[in-house]
Amino acid sequence: FLLDQTGFGQVDLDHIKSIFDRLHSPEVILTMSVSWLVDLASQNTSFLKKVSSLGISEVELQELLLSKEKWARRYGGQKWVREYITKYINAPFNTCFFLKTRPSNRDIWLLHFAKQWRARDAMMEVHYKFSNKTQFYGKAGFEMLGFDQDVDENQLGLFEFTPIDAERSSIAMLDDLPRTLKDRGGGEGINWSDLFSRELNDATTTKRQFEKGVALARDYNLIEIYTNDGKLRPNARWLNKDDKILLPKQRTIWDMVAT
């Protein structure tokens, strides 16, 4: 389903939600002007009327306004909008990138929602194949749209899905993979498929790039990979879904730097 919007007032999230509630493997592509939504957000009845199709009530509006105060007004608000939409329509897998337009201060989002991870992965492959239309401001690797409040928004790099960006995405996992296993769980063992599903939506990687990053982290002794029957996999480049990923019991250089 392709829902092409130039603004945000005609985006009906209940319609998209019904698609995901009723169909087994739907995909929805939605364009909308997220910067207009965030920039115009204000506590008045006229704005609430404009966003009624998004299901935003006074409670959600307060959350949006507060998110704009936590960091840069636009980026903090955009982070909230993305998380809100994904939760509202109950789409397990998604991508969220900006469309390149003529010089403008307005951001047009290209959002893709799916129930199957393979659909999300195929969409990422398209972004890399046609690396002249979409982009975002942020880093390669995990938490790509995290909008870190410790980072100066004026210093955010532009990610454009070039071959160099693809390589950066795998290399970034040398830092991101041990951190997520430590901070989000799985350091003592997590299935490769579960790890991939957990990090997929916020990673700049395709499945192939993700596997490459995992193998690279293993080569640098930052993680270990075991088969389902407990055998170490010291050389495998491609993984089985039930392979176990875990942090080494012996402290690494990464642990010393992280602490």
Side-chain angles (χ1 to χ4, degrees):
F1 299 86
L2 177 60
L3 305 176
D4 189 13
Q5 306 292 329
T6 55
F8 62 86
Q10 300 301 313
V11 178
D12 189 341
L13 291 189
D14 284 330
H15 178 60
I16 300 177
K17 184 177 185 303
S18 68
I19 292 174
F20 278 87
D21 288 344
R22 298 178 183 184
L23 301 181
H24 181 263
S25 299
E27 291 184 61
V28 171
I29 295 175
L30 170 68
T31 62
M32 62 176 289
S33 179
V34 64
S35 58
W36 275 103
L37 171 60
V38 172
D39 293 348
L40 295 177
S42 61
Q43 194 169 358
N44 58 60
T45 54
S46 62
F47 180 78
L48 274 175
K49 185 177 180 179
K50 290 179 180 178
V51 295
S52 60
S53 63
L54 297 174
I56 295 179
S57 66
E58 291 187 20
V59 174
E60 286 81 22
L61 177 56
Q62 287 300 317
E63 292 178 0
L64 172 56
L65 294 175
L66 285 173
S67 70
K68 292 170 60 174
E69 302 302 323
K70 290 182 179 180
W71 191 44
R73 291 176 58 84
R74 177 170 294 183
Y75 292 131
Q78 289 180 356
K79 180 178 187 295
W80 183 90
V81 172
R82 183 208 181 193
E83 293 173 350
Y84 169 77
I85 292 177
T86 302
K87 182 178 179 180
Y88 191 97
I89 68 176
N90 194 27
F93 300 101
N94 64 86
T95 62
C96 172
F97 302 116
F98 301 125
L99 287 171
K100 290 183 181 179
T101 62
R102 60 184 183 276
S104 170
N105 289 324
R106 300 299 179 187
D107 296 324
I108 304 296
W109 259 356
L110 175 67
L111 301 108
H112 173 259
F113 304 105
K115 274 190 175 181
Q116 307 296 330
W117 71 262
R118 292 185 184 278
R120 197 271 185 186
D121 192 55
M123 188 65 176
M124 287 294 289
E125 293 280 5
V126 170
H127 283 297
Y128 278 103
K129 183 177 181 180
F130 301 99
S131 60
N132 62 340
K133 296 298 182 183
T134 55
Q135 62 188 24
F136 71 92
Y137 287 94
K139 70 182 187 68
F142 297 172
E143 299 181 8
M144 59 184 181
L145 295 176
F147 303 123
D148 188 344
Q149 62 183 359
D150 295 327
V151 177
D152 183 349
E153 62 174 303
N154 296 317
Q155 296 179 356
L156 288 175
L158 189 63
F159 192 98
E160 298 186 286
F161 298 96
T162 64
I164 293 177
D165 288 327
E167 192 68 19
R168 287 171 52 212
S169 295
S170 296
I171 293 175
M173 291 180 62
L174 292 176
D175 182 57
D176 290 337
L177 191 54
R179 179 184 292 111
T180 193
L181 291 174
K182 182 178 180 181
D183 295 344
R184 300 188 65 187
E188 296 183 357
I190 182 173
N191 280 5
W192 141 250
S193 58
D194 293 336
L195 174 65
F196 178 64
S197 296
R198 186 179 79 183
E199 306 296 340
L200 181 61
N201 284 332
D202 292 318
T204 58
T205 58
T206 63
K207 179 176 180 289
R208 291 182 299 172
Q209 293 160 0
F210 199 104
E211 285 183 305
K212 182 177 179 180
V214 169
L216 190 62
R218 184 270 321 281
D219 294 344
Y220 278 85
N221 299 316
L222 299 175
I223 63 166
E224 293 177 346
I225 305 174
Y226 288 86
T227 63
N228 190 41
D229 56 1
K231 295 181 180 179
L232 188 66
R233 301 192 69 184
N235 300 310
R237 312 316 295 178
W238 309 114
L239 306 176
N240 295 323
K241 66 178 182 178
D242 56 354
D243 282 348
K244 293 282 186 181
I245 311 295
L246 61 141
L247 292 173
K249 293 182 179 180
Q250 185 176 357
R251 283 174 59 87
T252 66
I253 294 177
W254 186 92
D255 294 311
M256 299 175 187
V257 172
T259 55

